[in-house]
Amino acid sequence: MNKQSKDFLRLVIDHDESTPRIEGLYLVTDEGERLVERVRSALSGGVAVLQYRCKKNSPEEKVALGRELRALCVDAGIPFIVNDDPHLALELDADGVHLGQEDTSPFAARQILGPKKIVGVSTHTVREARQAEADGADYIGFGAMYPTGSKTVTHLPGPAALREVKGSVGIPVVAIGGIKRDNALSVMDGGADAVAVISSVLGDPNPAVAAAELALLFNRRLPPPRGTVLTVAGSDSGGGAGIQADLKTVTLLGAYGASAITALTAQNTRGVTGICPVPPSFVEEQITAVLSDIPVDVVKTGMLHSADIAATVAEVLERFGKRILVIDPVMLAKGGARLVDRPAVTAIREHLFPLTYLLTPNIPEAEQLTGVTIHDEAGMEEAARALHAQGVRNVLLKGGHLTEGAAVDLLFDGTGFMRFPTRRIMTKNTHGTGCTLASAIAAFLARGEPLPAAVGRAKEFITTAIRLAHPLGRGHGPVNHYLAAQEQLEHEKKLEEQP
């Protein structure tokens, strides 16, 4: 490389502060139908970078489609990168270009695009990564992490090589290849600044939710408190359930809690003696006040009390584009008092189920919502399938009301079941268990845990909280949120100290 080229590279690498940084969820387009519609949905879920890859269309079609996608990126305020072709990137006024090993050099791409554009390079080894940086790349793609159906993989360095690459270069690293929600953590913990995905988002029936659950994983890198949970529920004057239990749980588990109260209850460990519903318009005002100011990652709902409140909550959450909703369909208090009227159950099913990321019913609630009589795990599976068919994305059906064997919760995602068994604890101090479990799941999701891990950790938390509960009051005492959280934090600290 001559002196003029080296001087040019030194100049262009020094981007100003307005140059977009490559980090977060990096979406690469596919060649499928309705691409603009699916990308629009995905961007609303938290995509941070879009790479436009188009190999089949005519030049005119490539430009027309690229302009539509670029407009979406401009509206979303994210970088728009063109795959392989600096000339197409120039015509589309893209933010940059991503080059393969067989494409033109970063230096040649800059001569076409100008010094302010981003240039990325695909790499597969430490040597290639170092060379890309030396050649002036602003970031590298590295992979494949896992086998993938989008292209033939001839080299699979995997997550094990990622940490070495990250330690060898000083530019952002985008991990790519077969990355999904449940395997992304090893990639992120290996140091990837961004994770690139295609089918795990664009191949999902709901790209917005698929993108949201992947984007949420990056919260694990935030300083405490990690992530924010908004709980929309009733107030428990006894402090064991409802808003009070939710905020205790979220705070003790290391996330930030905000709230909107749907009803005031007069209750203690022996039962509910009075309910004063909040006007739906004021419920909306509370939620709007929070969502218009605070970046909320997860919304958890509990007692919604009336059909009008349920419909109002659904409308405002949809208006703000909230994708990760944990719905605890609270119907009965521990003492047997009905906390929602029957029209509210219909409204929850009609308005909230289509928005629900995770539904957490116990067996009596599942029976009311589906009409399925549950006597065993087979009945739980039937009810979970019925709830999923009503529009819920994931169902966690809690098995604590069964009397035989271990207490097993079943997580159903529409394709398969995961079992979360635990031994039964003989105690009457179980007030607020449903609220606490749902809030713990919400907190772990907000902190950047994928759903199965969030459910597993929340299950451990509530089991510990029940085991350590101290008698308080003369009825069903509350669980021990504080000591359960202490055990969780000690366990996390030990894991972090492991080499």
Side-chain angles (χ1 to χ4, degrees), residues 233 261-264 276-284 286 305-306 309:
I261 297 175
T262 59
L264 304 176
C276 179
V278 173
S281 61
F282 192 67
V283 174
E284 178 181 7
Q286 294 175 76
H305 189 62
S306 71
I309 290 177

Side-chain angles (χ1 to χ4, degrees), residues 171-469:
I171 55 179
V173 177
V174 180
I176 190 168
I179 299 172
K180 303 176 182 178
R181 180 198 67 189
D182 294 340
N183 65 20
L185 291 193
S186 60
V187 174
M188 294 175 60
D189 292 346
D193 298 278
V195 294
V197 296
I198 305 174
S199 60
S200 59
V201 169
L202 292 179
D204 193 280
N206 192 332
V209 177
E213 61 181 358
L214 277 163
L216 202 53
L217 301 180
F218 285 89
N219 278 7
R220 64 198 297 104
R221 295 178 174 174
L222 297 175
R226 295 186 177 96
T228 298
V229 176
L230 168 64
T231 171
V232 183
S235 170
D236 174 5
S237 57
I243 287 285
Q244 287 81 354
D246 294 346
L247 292 178
K248 290 174 188 177
T249 300
V250 170
T251 302
L252 288 169
L253 291 179
Y256 180 82
S259 65
I261 297 175
T262 59
L264 304 176
T265 69
Q267 65 175 298
N268 53 30
T269 63
R270 290 180 293 174
V272 178
T273 58
I275 300 175
C276 179
V278 173
S281 61
F282 192 67
V283 174
E284 178 181 7
E285 189 172 347
Q286 294 175 76
I287 299 173
T288 299
V290 174
L291 297 183
S292 63
D293 179 47
I294 298 172
V296 169
D297 299 294
V298 182
V299 178
K300 179 264 176 188
T301 70
M303 173 189 175
L304 298 180
H305 189 62
S306 71
D308 286 345
I309 290 177
T312 296
V313 170
E315 186 278 325
V316 69
L317 294 180
E318 187 169 25
R319 181 174 7 119
F320 277 94
K322 294 293 104 179
R323 307 298 182 188
I324 307 298
L325 274 61
V326 177
I327 308 296
D328 182 18
V330 177
M331 296 180 182
L332 298 174
K334 188 67 67 178
R338 177 169 287 278
L339 298 177
V340 298
D341 58 29
R342 296 189 186 279
V345 176
T346 301
I348 291 169
R349 184 188 291 113
E350 179 180 347
H351 298 290
L352 276 173
F353 275 18
L355 307 178
T356 300
Y357 177 69
L358 176 68
L359 186 73
T360 65
N362 58 30
I363 285 177
E365 291 163 348
E367 289 178 329
Q368 288 191 50
L369 289 167
T370 65
V372 175
T373 300
I374 302 172
H375 298 295
D376 51 24
E377 280 192 45
M380 291 175 64
E381 290 185 4
E382 181 183 356
R385 288 191 178 94
L387 289 167
H388 183 272
Q390 294 181 39
V392 174
R393 187 176 177 94
N394 302 284
V395 180
L396 180 68
L397 209 164
K398 300 173 291 187
H401 284 78
L402 295 181
T403 57
E404 300 295 329
V408 179
D409 297 347
L410 294 181
L411 177 63
F412 182 60
D413 65 359
T415 59
F417 288 90
M418 291 186 66
R419 298 175 79 252
F420 295 87
T422 188
R423 68 180 182 86
R424 293 185 181 276
I425 300 171
M426 303 308 295
T427 177
K428 68 175 184 177
N429 300 316
T430 56
H431 183 50
T433 51
C435 303
T436 298
L437 177 64
S439 295
I441 295 170
F444 284 122
L445 288 172
R447 287 180 46 181
E449 297 288 344
L451 180 61
V455 170
R457 297 189 66 178
K459 176 78 171 180
E460 292 174 1
F461 173 76
I462 189 58
T463 301
T464 303
I466 295 171
R467 174 172 55 83
L468 297 177

Side-chain angles (χ1 to χ4, degrees), residues 21-213:
R21 179 170 171 80
I22 302 299
E23 59 186 357
L25 183 59
Y26 186 115
L27 181 64
V28 181
T29 63
D30 62 16
E31 305 277 359
E33 299 294 327
R34 302 182 298 103
L35 179 61
V36 173
E37 176 186 337
R38 289 182 290 124
V39 169
R40 180 184 291 109
S41 174
L43 264 56
S44 73
V47 169
V49 183
L50 180 69
Q51 179 177 319
Y52 174 41
R53 186 177 71 176
C54 184
K55 298 181 180 294
K56 296 180 179 179
N57 293 355
S58 68
E60 294 78 14
E61 290 171 330
K62 287 182 180 181
V63 170
L65 180 57
R67 283 174 176 161
E68 288 189 79
L69 295 174
R70 181 186 178 278
L72 293 181
C73 291
V74 170
D75 289 344
I78 67 170
F80 175 61
I81 307 295
V82 169
N83 187 72
D84 292 346
D85 189 343
H87 294 285
L88 179 60
L90 179 66
E91 184 167 1
L92 295 175
D93 191 24
D95 294 289
V97 66
H98 186 85
L99 306 172
Q101 284 293 309
E102 304 302 319
D103 295 325
T104 187
S105 69
F107 173 67
R110 289 195 193 283
Q111 288 183 311
I112 296 169
L113 294 175
K116 295 298 184 180
K117 300 298 184 178
I118 304 168
V119 176
V121 177
S122 292
T123 65
H124 312 89
T125 66
V126 173
R127 183 189 63 80
E128 289 179 354
R130 288 174 174 166
Q131 186 62 53
E133 182 177 33
D135 289 344
D138 295 298
Y139 73 96
I140 61 167
F142 184 73
M145 295 294 102
Y146 308 100
T148 175
S150 63
K151 62 172 62 177
T152 301
V153 176
T154 58
H155 183 63
L156 192 71
L162 179 63
R163 195 177 299 275
E164 182 182 1
V165 167
K166 182 62 180 174
S168 300
V169 298
I171 55 179
V173 177
V174 180
I176 190 168
I179 299 172
K180 303 176 182 178
R181 180 198 67 189
D182 294 340
N183 65 20
L185 291 193
S186 60
V187 174
M188 294 175 60
D189 292 346
D193 298 278
V195 294
V197 296
I198 305 174
S199 60
S200 59
V201 169
L202 292 179
D204 193 280
N206 192 332
V209 177
E213 61 181 358

